[in-house]
Amino acid sequence: MSNVLVLVDHTGGKVRKTTAELLTIARRLGEPVAVFIGDNVQDALPALGQYGATKVIALTDPELTQYLVAPKAEALQQVAAKIEPSAILISSNSEGKEIAARLAVKLDSGLITDAVDVQEGPVTTQSVFAGNYSVQAKVTHGTPIITVKPNAATPEAAETSPEVEEFDVTISDGAKTARITDSKPREATGRPELTEAAIIVSGGRGTGGDFSPIEAFADSLGAAVGASRAAVDSGWYPHAYQVGQTGKTVSPQLYIAAGISGAIQHRAGMQTSKTIVAINKDEEAPIFELVDFGVVGDLHKVLPATTEEVTKR
Ligand code: FAD
């Protein structure tokens, strides 16, 4: 069986859910080999083994994490030269996409970004024009390099005990062009990560800038908070929480949109949620075309009342 490289997406060894999704997809294509960059590989091992990594290649050279992106692409090129994978899967975040693009040039290979599904072949599905079209594509030259959006697959466990192989890489001076001078985690909110949450409560322009009922309701449910672009552009909530075409793609079990009209660009980021609930004071709002449950009402009344009810239970 051919090897499929998966670049591990992690923070200090804590593996993100997107990696479990990539490993699940990789098992459809061949034997998943995880590439871990950083020095906490032991912390990542249980999660990588849980989702079927057959081997973990550890790249611990500190220069890989001291500089932006370019050294990582060089390192992956060297790993690919040794492993000769049949495909390379990378998470579709800003760093992942830049690594993938650089790697595609280095390997003279085809690149597909933002796949929402990958099946045997590998044949990818991309969702384009704000979710109005879905495009199937296949790399026809070199090693397929595919960046995969969060929630493209449901992580399926397949217990393995992967061995760790340390791999030495050589980083050229040309790759050391942008040094990281500082890096700090975003202030912890105590809420789940937006793309990993089972429940999301999102607020839009209808909040009028007051996200406290959204946050209180989210906290009563153990949910993450999201926002529409109108709310983000108004400076009411940080961009990191924007859901939609130019924000995050989410696919939780339950998505609650409060004071959000349901513009196509917002739908593009949340329409695959399993259950959708909307609270909107305009019964004609387009979001109601999409929902499983709708509440016509003022979110400033509906949400506090619901939060109180949930908290009582
Ligand atoms: P509005 O459309 O103004 O809707 C507000 C809603 O709140 C209304 O339906 C109103 O009835 C309701 N409301 C008002 N007061 C209350 C109340 N008290 N209680 C309950 N309901 C109330 N948008 C995104 O969200 N994400 C994206 O990633 C994104 N990317 C974009 C990319 C491009 C290229 C473009 C052109 C646009 C993009 N947009 C995106 C913007 C998108 O087109 C909409 O403008 C935006 O989603 C509207 O946000 P909203 O629903 O919060 O605001």
Side-chain angles (χ1 to χ4, degrees):
M1 233 188 184
S2 58
N3 290 314
V4 177
L5 283 189
V6 169
L7 179 60
V8 177
D9 190 6
H10 70 98
T11 316
K14 188 169 183 292
V15 175
R16 297 167 72 86
K17 180 171 156 259
T18 47
T19 301
E21 293 164 10
L22 293 188
L23 288 169
T24 302
I25 290 172
R27 297 205 315 268
R28 297 175 192 156
L29 313 177
E31 297 218 336
V33 175
V35 181
F36 182 95
I37 299 176
D39 51 13
N40 312 78
V41 68
Q42 290 305 329
D43 295 343
L45 266 191
L48 299 177
Q50 185 183 354
Y51 291 101
T54 52
K55 186 199 258 195
V56 179
I57 295 181
L59 309 180
T60 53
D61 186 332
E63 290 192 326
L64 288 167
T65 44
Q66 283 165 4
Y67 293 89
L68 287 178
V69 185
K72 291 181 182 165
E74 262 192 18
L76 276 180
Q77 178 191 16
Q78 290 162 40
V79 173
K82 182 170 176 228
I83 301 284
E84 297 183 346
S86 59
I88 301 174
L89 305 181
I90 299 176
S91 294
S92 255
N93 50 40
S94 52
E95 184 184 75
K97 284 198 266 192
E98 191 177 341
I99 293 172
R102 288 171 180 269
L103 184 61
V105 173
K106 287 176 188 302
L107 294 178
D108 186 23
S109 289
L111 164 70
I112 294 174
T113 56
D114 288 339
V116 293
D117 190 23
V118 186
Q119 295 294 338
E120 228 177 298
V123 176
T124 64
T125 304
Q126 289 162 297
S127 177
V128 299
F129 298 135
N132 281 330
Y133 278 82
S134 117
V135 175
Q136 265 78 42
K138 195 172 182 323
V139 167
T140 52
H141 185 81
T143 309
I145 298 168
I146 301 166
T147 76
V148 183
K149 280 199 154 196
N151 298 309
T154 306
E156 285 162 21
E159 213 59 59
T160 51
S161 314
E163 57 179 273
V164 178
E165 183 184 317
E166 298 269 344
F167 189 90
D168 290 330
V169 291
T170 314
I171 308 299
S172 71
D173 286 342
K176 297 183 228 168
T177 49
R179 194 182 183 102
I180 297 170
T181 54
D182 192 14
S183 147
K184 32 180 158 345
R186 206 171 47 225
E187 221 171 280
T189 60
R191 298 189 187 103
E193 166 70 24
L194 189 57
T195 54
E196 301 186 358
I199 307 175
I200 296 173
V201 184
S202 280
R205 206 194 304 270
T207 60
D210 178 10
F211 262 65
S212 59
I214 305 282
E215 291 184 332
F217 186 45
D219 291 344
S220 75
L221 297 170
V225 171
S228 73
R229 177 155 162 187
V232 169
D233 284 354
S234 304
W236 300 340
Y237 226 69
H239 179 260
Y241 299 91
Q242 183 178 316
V243 173
Q245 186 185 334
T246 41
K248 303 252 163 71
T249 304
V250 298
S251 191
Q253 294 299 322
L254 174 60
Y255 186 87
I256 302 160
I260 293 177
S261 61
I264 188 88
Q265 297 89 353
H266 188 78
R267 292 177 186 209
M270 47 64 78
Q271 62 195 356
T272 57
S273 303
K274 309 296 174 290
T275 301
I276 299 173
V277 176
I279 301 148
N280 198 303
K281 66 179 189 186
D282 173 10
E283 64 180 46
E284 304 283 327
I287 191 88
F288 286 128
E289 292 161 15
L290 186 74
V291 298
D292 298 284
F293 301 99
V295 180
V296 179
D298 182 345
L299 70 90
H300 295 287
K301 294 189 179 128
V302 174
L303 286 183
T306 319
T307 306
E308 199 186 319
E309 206 48 48
V310 171
T311 315
K312 264 193 228 157
R313 293 181 184 204

